[in-house]
Amino acid sequence: MARPEPFLPRQAHARPLATFASAFLLGLIAGKARPAPILACAGALGGAALLCALLRKNRRAFAVCLLLAGFAAGLCRMTLALDAIPTVETQYSVAMTGRVVSEPFQNPDTGRLISQFQLETLNGEASDLRLRLYLRDEAPVPEDAVCYGQRLALTGHIWQADAVTNPYEFDFGDYLTRQGLSAYATARLSDVTPLETRRDLRSLLIDTRKGIARRIDALFPENAPLVRALVLGDRSLLDEEFRESLNRTGTAHLISISGLHVTVLAALLAFALGRFLPRRWANLFAVLLLIPYGALIGFNAPFARALIMFALVCLAPTTGHPSDSVTRLAAAMLGYLLVKPLAIGDAGFALSFTASAGLLLLSPPLARLVGIEGLQHRRYLGPPRRRLARQAVYYFASLLCASLAAQLATLPTVVAWFGVQSVISLPFNLVCVPLCMLGYILSVVALLVSCVSMPLAALVARLPDGLFALLAAATRLSFRLPVSGVRFGRYPWPLVALHWALVIAASDLTLIRPRLRRWMPLALVLVAGLSALVAFVRAYPFSVMFMDAGQADCAIVRTKGHTYLFDAGDTYTPAADYLNATALGVDAVFLSHPHQDHAGGLADLLTSFRPGRIYVPAGWFEPENISPAVTEAIDLAKEMGVEIVELAAGDALELPGGATVEVFSPDGIALPGEVNDMSMLALLTCEGQKVLFTGDLSAGGEPEVIPDADVLKVAHHGSAKATSERFLAACTPELAVISVGENNFGHPAEETLQKLDAVGAKTLLTRDCGAITLTWHGGWQIDTYLEAGHDVE
């Protein structure tokens, strides 16, 4: 019996395009992480191509050379893409002229008008920079203040995106790079002088979008934001609660123009045209009609993928070179990445292509696993009702397998971007996908009918409007469910590689024995469990991370797999991104006092986690004029059923994970005159080490009894009015951490730094170090995000 050929040589010979595209993707990823010189890439590419031509008869050599050529091509393409974006330093009060090259939109939270701005001159000199432009005013800037194609002269500031200073923090600079932008600029609307406006094809597309949006508003008054998202890909009007409910139910893909929408629309167009034209011509015209629709919505990754794959299916009979689904998917990915190589960092691209790969590779094995593979072509005898029931069973079983295949394949991607995998997505998708697709089709029909008669179109729109109302009601129910998602922890790259190796091994691409292969999809769940185990192990040692929250406080304590948050930072908290990537849950949150820079980030945290308890100082609810962000966050916690416990001096807590917390202030009897002086003075003890959290406690509010501590979180960002000499003499810290950002208050004060130095404390500032992580290994190991770590005995 002949020995089977190894997997890679066999696939390289049977599917060379898919092999090349896979290596090309890896080359792009490597090039993004560490850009390679163009000449070296070109040399490697040329040598690989030459070897590939010479050694084609040797399948193993051909596979190696094909992989090398694809990888080198990816490196070269990414290097060219990054080099094409010029860099610029931060500059203040500069004169700029240029043109608006994207449709402006208003940020509903800030009222600023945002657009992309292509510079022509900068301080009188020619410039080719492309910037993200923010226009501000005392009142919200209207969307028609400027328009696409308009030339502007303005005076403003150019800002280079801030460097990332915390692990897993959102990288705004990388986001700008993916958009092809060098930096961002801000200007007052009063400092902008509109010049002439140039109209082109894109102006026509934008006007068409606006016209369709107005018709949607008229036809669907209750669900216009949802219909806009489905038809135009415009999600700007969807409220945050509805978006979060879609994320929790795993149905967020329904509000983007995904491959499913394009496939349905393409099939309907081909079917309708097929009534009048031969099948070949009907398919061709369906593709041609979808191209202007893609231009209208911006050719996002899911749309481009579905259109290219559909076009390849339609062209196969004409060219006489049919391809399998894997090759079509690879061709779509390669074509899209050749044009937009920086899209590898975009969630839409990653989710679209990994979900499609899961559908192609895992749906057949899952169908065999549940025993429905042979039902599609089996002839059923008997009454029509029984045949219809069997067909319904097959349909829902197939939809279940497809949904499960997509979710298993996208699991590492979903966890990386959202931190949680919905456990109710399967039943929700079984219900919501048919509702959404039927509503989408009827919405398009209503819009087409509106070109002839608005009253008739309004009548047609009633049914999809009702379906969308049902969809919205079903997804909003997720907010009242106690458990809607499970956390695994972000996959380390070896587990990502293992995950995709199992996906391929479970597919029909391999020659593994069918009895063994049919159970391999279940092994993907074990890999997810392994990622959760890795997250638990990483959280086992006692550690304290003081995050760089700017001019705010936020610290994460981890011990024996348990996680605690001491202060939540401002309204945006870096703790949310970090915990989404690394934590399986949050046991408790300690809030020092009700100021926004210490408790404002609680709402951001609650969108991802439901902590066991929230501890606040006694008298928390007494002060007036508390920030609305803090009040709303506490109200949200109450709605979620989170217990809020007030603590006062003398209270002590035994926390899971071997830690204890003792409270030394406030006294709980009299409310201090200053809110800062009601700060909770909390001593955390674990592994024999003591860490003292102080909030914004002033020197005048310090209690009589001050505990000794090994690590001190310096009060009030190092203010001169806090941290007295008496306090430090009693505390005698070995390490002192000051959470501080750029400010106009003079924090940290020089006298505070001198007092810390006088007691022999090693002082670290988050402003200089980024996130500061202290890990106990018989001595404090200090790791700073912006500097090399070192040990302190």
Side-chain angles (χ1 to χ4, degrees):
M1 182 177 179
R3 185 178 179 181
E5 189 177 17
F7 174 77
L8 277 177
R10 179 163 45 83
Q11 291 300 319
H13 181 78
R15 298 179 177 87
L17 182 61
T19 305
F20 181 88
S22 301
F24 183 82
L25 175 62
L26 294 176
L28 288 177
I29 295 172
K32 181 71 178 298
R34 188 172 299 174
I38 296 179
L39 292 178
C41 293
L45 177 61
L50 179 61
L51 287 174
C52 189
L54 295 175
L55 301 174
R56 185 175 177 84
K57 293 183 179 179
N58 185 325
R59 289 193 176 187
R60 295 193 180 188
F62 175 70
V64 171
C65 293
L66 195 61
L67 290 171
L68 179 60
F71 187 80
L75 281 173
C76 188
R77 183 66 186 93
M78 179 56 72
T79 304
L80 291 172
L82 293 175
D83 288 346
I85 303 174
T87 59
V88 62
E89 298 295 328
T90 297
Q91 302 178 42
Y92 303 101
S93 299
V94 293
M96 296 174 274
T97 60
R99 198 171 296 276
V100 178
V101 292
S102 70
E103 183 179 2
F105 66 94
Q106 185 193 80
N107 185 321
D109 296 326
T110 64
R112 294 186 175 188
L113 193 66
I114 305 172
S115 63
Q116 292 187 17
F117 190 57
Q118 179 67 56
L119 290 187
E120 297 173 357
T121 64
L122 178 63
N123 282 333
E125 298 182 2
S127 174
D128 61 347
L129 294 176
R130 177 172 288 199
L131 309 173
R132 185 177 175 91
L133 177 62
Y134 294 84
L135 297 180
R136 67 185 189 276
D137 203 356
E138 298 298 330
V141 181
E143 290 190 354
D144 59 355
V146 299
C147 64
Y148 168 80
Q150 191 169 37
R151 192 163 173 263
L152 305 176
L154 57 91
T155 301
H157 309 310
I158 295 178
W159 307 89
Q160 188 60 258
D162 293 335
V164 174
T165 58
N166 295 289
Y168 305 109
E169 185 179 4
F170 173 70
D171 191 340
F172 185 57
D174 181 67
Y175 171 79
L176 293 177
T177 300
R178 292 201 309 269
Q179 304 295 316
L181 306 175
S182 300
Y184 67 101
T186 58
R188 292 184 177 274
L189 187 62
S190 57
D191 294 330
V192 177
T193 302
L195 304 176
E196 79 279 1
T197 300
R198 182 180 64 192
R199 295 189 59 81
D200 55 18
L201 178 60
R202 191 169 184 184
S203 302
L204 177 61
L205 290 174
I206 290 174
D207 291 342
T208 304
R209 278 175 59 91
K210 291 180 178 179
I212 295 174
R214 287 193 293 269
R215 295 210 172 191
I216 289 174
D217 295 341
L219 293 173
F220 304 92
E222 298 296 327
N223 297 287
L226 180 56
V227 181
R228 280 195 182 200
L230 287 169
V231 177
L232 297 175
D234 177 14
R235 293 178 286 181
S236 61
L237 299 182
L238 292 172
D239 63 81
E240 193 64 32
E241 179 183 343
F242 183 62
R243 290 192 188 194
E244 181 59 28
S245 65
L246 290 169
N247 290 332
R248 289 189 182 187
T249 56
T251 53
H253 61 94
L254 296 178
I255 61 169
S256 62
I257 302 179
S258 65
L260 182 60
H261 297 76
V262 178
T263 301
V264 169
L265 188 58
L268 288 174
L269 286 172
F271 175 79
L273 293 171
R275 303 299 92 190
F276 312 99
L277 300 171
R279 181 178 178 182
R280 180 182 301 178
W281 289 103
N283 290 337
L284 177 61
F285 278 110
V287 172
L288 294 177
L289 288 174
L290 285 173
I291 291 176
Y293 182 47
L296 188 69
I297 64 172
F299 280 111
N300 61 11
F303 184 94
R305 173 192 57 75
L307 180 61
I308 293 173
M309 293 182 71
F310 180 73
L312 291 176
V313 171
C314 297
L315 292 174
T318 304
T319 60
H321 295 285
S323 61
D324 65 356
S325 55
V326 174
T327 299
R328 289 194 293 271
L329 178 63
M333 182 182 73
L334 184 61
Y336 190 78
L337 290 179
L338 282 171
V339 178
K340 296 183 176 181
L342 295 171
I344 59 171
D346 182 66
F349 167 82
L351 289 172
S352 175
F353 280 90
T354 54
S356 298
L359 290 172
L360 297 178
L361 301 179
L362 291 180
S363 289
L366 287 174
R368 288 192 293 269
L369 189 62
V370 299
I372 66 166
E373 187 184 35
L375 295 180
Q376 183 178 12
H377 304 293
R378 185 182 303 173
R379 292 186 61 188
Y380 293 110
L381 302 176
R385 290 182 180 178
R386 183 173 297 179
R387 292 200 301 270
L388 183 61
R390 287 175 176 173
Q391 291 174 358
V393 169
Y394 171 75
Y395 168 76
F396 281 105
S398 300
L399 184 58
L400 176 65
C401 289
S403 298
L404 184 58
Q407 288 187 36
L408 286 175
T410 59
L411 193 53
T413 308
V414 169
V415 170
W417 259 277
F418 305 109
V420 62
Q421 171 61 54
S422 172
V423 296
I424 57 176
S425 57
L426 280 178
F428 264 82
N429 273 286
L430 287 176
V431 175
C432 293
V433 167
L435 283 178
C436 187
M437 287 301 99
L438 181 58
Y440 173 69
I441 295 168
L442 293 174
S443 299
V444 174
V445 171
L447 288 169
L448 292 175
V449 172
S450 70
C451 299
V452 178
S453 170
M454 281 296 291
L456 182 59
L459 185 63
V460 175
R462 287 185 180 181
L463 180 56
D465 202 30
L467 292 175
F468 292 139
L470 185 61
L471 174 65
T475 54
R476 291 181 192 277
L477 284 175
S478 66
F479 268 109
R480 290 188 282 271
L481 296 176
V483 178
S484 59
V486 60
R487 294 188 173 275
F488 297 104
R490 183 173 291 195
Y491 284 44
W493 72 262
L495 288 186
V496 175
L498 177 60
H499 173 92
W500 281 104
L502 287 172
V503 170
I504 294 172
S507 71
D508 295 336
L509 299 178
T510 63
L511 300 178
I512 298 174
R513 293 179 180 179
R515 288 185 179 180
L516 178 61
R517 192 169 69 232
R518 69 178 297 182
W519 298 103
M520 280 189 173
L522 301 181
L524 297 172
V525 181
L526 299 179
V527 176
L530 187 57
S531 75
L533 179 61
V534 170
F536 179 83
V537 170
R538 287 179 172 176
Y540 198 82
F542 173 44
S543 67
V544 184
M545 175 181 286
F546 297 93
M547 307 206 77
D548 180 18
Q551 189 68 8
D553 273 21
C554 181
I556 297 170
V557 175
R558 311 183 78 175
T559 176
K560 295 183 179 179
H562 295 274
T563 302
Y564 305 94
L565 186 67
F566 282 77
D567 278 336
D570 213 325
T571 49
Y572 164 72
T573 173
D577 291 332
Y578 178 78
L579 293 173
N580 266 325
T582 63
L584 304 179
V586 175
D587 294 79
V589 176
F590 292 81
L591 300 176
S592 63
H593 63 294
H595 273 170
Q596 183 169 308
D597 60 333
H598 290 252
L602 178 63
D604 192 12
L605 181 79
L606 292 175
T607 59
S608 302
F609 293 91
R610 183 185 181 276
R613 285 182 179 178
I614 296 176
Y615 295 100
V616 298
W620 173 278
F621 298 99
E622 298 300 323
E624 299 179 355
N625 300 323
I626 297 302
S627 165
V630 177
T631 303
E632 292 170 7
I634 292 295
D635 291 342
L636 176 60
K638 291 178 179 178
E639 292 176 11
M640 296 172 65
V642 180
E643 183 181 4
I644 300 175
V645 180
E646 293 187 67
L647 298 178
D651 289 335
L653 304 173
E654 294 284 343
L655 302 178
T660 62
V661 171
E662 300 174 74
V663 179
F664 291 84
S665 72
D667 58 21
I669 299 173
L671 187 67
E674 292 288 338
V675 175
N676 283 342
D677 288 341
M678 69 181 294
S679 292
M680 186 192 305
L681 188 64
L683 181 70
L684 172 78
T685 304
C686 186
E687 301 286 342
Q689 299 302 300
K690 298 179 179 181
V691 183
L692 186 59
F693 296 93
T694 58
D696 279 350
L697 190 66
S698 72
E702 293 169 355
E704 290 297 325
V705 179
I706 298 172
D708 182 48
D710 302 289
V711 178
L712 171 67
K713 199 293 296 181
V714 179
H716 204 180
H717 321 291
S719 168
K721 297 180 180 180
T723 318
S724 68
E725 293 178 350
R726 181 185 73 87
F727 184 96
L728 290 175
C731 184
T732 63
E734 176 185 352
L735 296 170
V737 176
I738 302 179
S739 182
V740 64
E742 298 296 332
N743 64 88
N744 297 320
F745 307 109
H747 298 163
E750 185 61 32
E751 60 187 276
T752 301
L753 297 176
Q754 291 175 358
K755 286 187 287 188
L756 290 168
D757 185 62
V759 297
K762 180 178 180 62
T763 305
L764 300 171
L765 279 64
T766 57
R767 181 181 61 192
D768 301 331
C769 302
I772 301 168
T773 305
L774 310 179
T775 308
W776 180 254
H777 294 296
W780 285 112
Q781 175 182 308
I782 305 176
D783 297 303
T784 56
Y785 194 78
L786 298 181
E787 299 175 353
H790 52 280
D791 294 329
V792 176
E793 299 299 334

